[in-house]
Amino acid sequence: MEVVILGSGTSTGVPVIGCSCEVCTSDDPRNRRTRSSILVEHAGAYILVDTATDFRAQAIANNIPKIDAVCYTHTHADHVHGIDDLRCFNKLKGGAIPCYGSPATCESLQRNFPYIFKPSEGAGWRPHLEPNAVTGDFDLFGLKVAPIEIEHGKSMIYGYRFGDVAYLTDCSGIPGYSMEKLRGLKLLIIGAIRYQPHPSHFSLGQSVEIIEALKPERALLTHLGHSFDQEKTGAELPPNTGLAYDGLRITL
Ligand SMILES: [Zn+2]
Ligand SMILES: [Zn+2]
Ligand SMILES: [Zn+2]
């Protein structure tokens, strides 16, 4: 199985428009962060998590040849608004692409993007997704996928566990029953937005506490804001923990 970090940035991306801080003006390409998303490659299948605002650029930068399924974490704009560019992958596939999410996520996608779910209505070249509301574990191409309920401010959203890999992008709390589903991980990818506390995202310190509690073999921080420098912040992290960066590929 391979996991590709397509995007590692918070909702604004980094650099932040109009900002001239050290990280936003850094020469290190790893400090240039598109909106958060990953690709899971398993048994020849390509599973996309979220269609981030920068999805088109991510697909081109990483030479994504096809998309077999999309798992949505939630419907905030930074995780969804690249959705229209799935139409090129529908063309490559020659049909609809299944998407997965909580009942609330599937309902919200269908309400906000009716043309994607009812492609027979109207004219033009549009994406076509088949919604699958999931509330428990499911199978994708022989891989066990577990939705993991996590707190994101006042909402409950999904993270996902794919085999021994978990992806928890926008997270401000993890209920005990979800912690239990995150034991024995080879890789944990978890959000950390900044050093200071935030109402709907873990700070760096809070994410490190979760990593220390779950003890995955390796951990990567994602959904990163512009207070984190790949080199400087990376050096402050515990062993086997690092900052994700766009284009990073992990083979498991
Ligand atoms: Zn987000
Ligand atoms: Zn900045
Ligand atoms: Zn969010």
Side-chain angles (χ1 to χ4, degrees), residues 74 76 78-79 152 170 201:
H74 64 308
H76 282 166
D78 51 324
H79 298 264
H152 178 26
D170 293 30
H201 295 270

Side-chain angles (χ1 to χ4, degrees), residues 27-38:
D27 290 333
D28 186 339
R30 297 172 302 170
N31 283 331
R32 297 186 79 84
R33 303 173 180 129
T34 61
R35 269 54 74 88
S36 290
S37 176
I38 61 166

Side-chain angles (χ1 to χ4, degrees), residues 38-147:
I38 61 166
L39 183 71
V40 176
E41 301 177 20
H42 167 76
Y46 288 68
I47 304 163
L48 178 68
V49 184
D50 293 334
T51 46
T53 318
D54 303 297
F55 173 57
R56 177 181 170 275
Q58 295 167 345
I60 290 168
N62 294 281
N63 296 311
I64 302 177
K66 59 173 185 158
I67 296 291
D68 295 295
V70 186
C71 294
Y72 280 102
T73 59
H74 64 308
T75 54
H76 282 166
D78 51 324
H79 298 264
V80 171
H81 281 189
I83 195 167
D84 211 63
D85 290 309
L86 281 173
R87 61 196 175 140
C88 295
F89 289 101
N90 284 118
K91 200 173 185 184
L92 289 165
K93 189 170 192 275
I97 296 171
C99 76
Y100 299 82
S102 70
T105 289
C106 288
E107 192 273 323
S108 162
L109 288 170
Q110 290 173 86
R111 185 164 23 98
N112 290 319
F113 303 96
Y115 68 99
I116 290 176
F117 295 90
K118 289 180 191 162
S120 53
E121 286 180 15
W125 181 24
R126 285 153 305 157
H128 184 192
L129 287 177
E130 264 169 19
N132 296 277
V134 284
T135 53
D137 299 358
F138 58 104
D139 177 278
L140 278 183
F141 318 105
L143 182 66
K144 185 182 157 188
V145 183

Side-chain angles (χ1 to χ4, degrees), residues 188-249:
L188 171 64
I189 306 167
I190 184 168
I193 197 164
R194 62 189 190 192
Y195 288 99
Q196 283 79 33
H198 185 285
S200 48
H201 295 270
F202 280 146
S203 64
L204 184 128
Q206 289 171 315
S207 292
V208 167
E209 276 176 30
I210 297 289
I211 293 163
E212 283 169 350
L214 291 174
K215 299 183 175 51
E217 286 179 21
R218 181 178 178 186
L220 289 168
L221 302 178
T222 193
H223 212 281
L224 307 165
H226 62 151
S227 58
F228 300 141
D229 175 75
Q230 180 67 224
E231 206 62 50
K232 272 189 217 162
T233 311
E236 302 163 5
L237 297 173
N240 306 321
T241 300
L243 296 187
Y245 57 88
D246 291 23
L248 175 61
R249 182 176 279 267

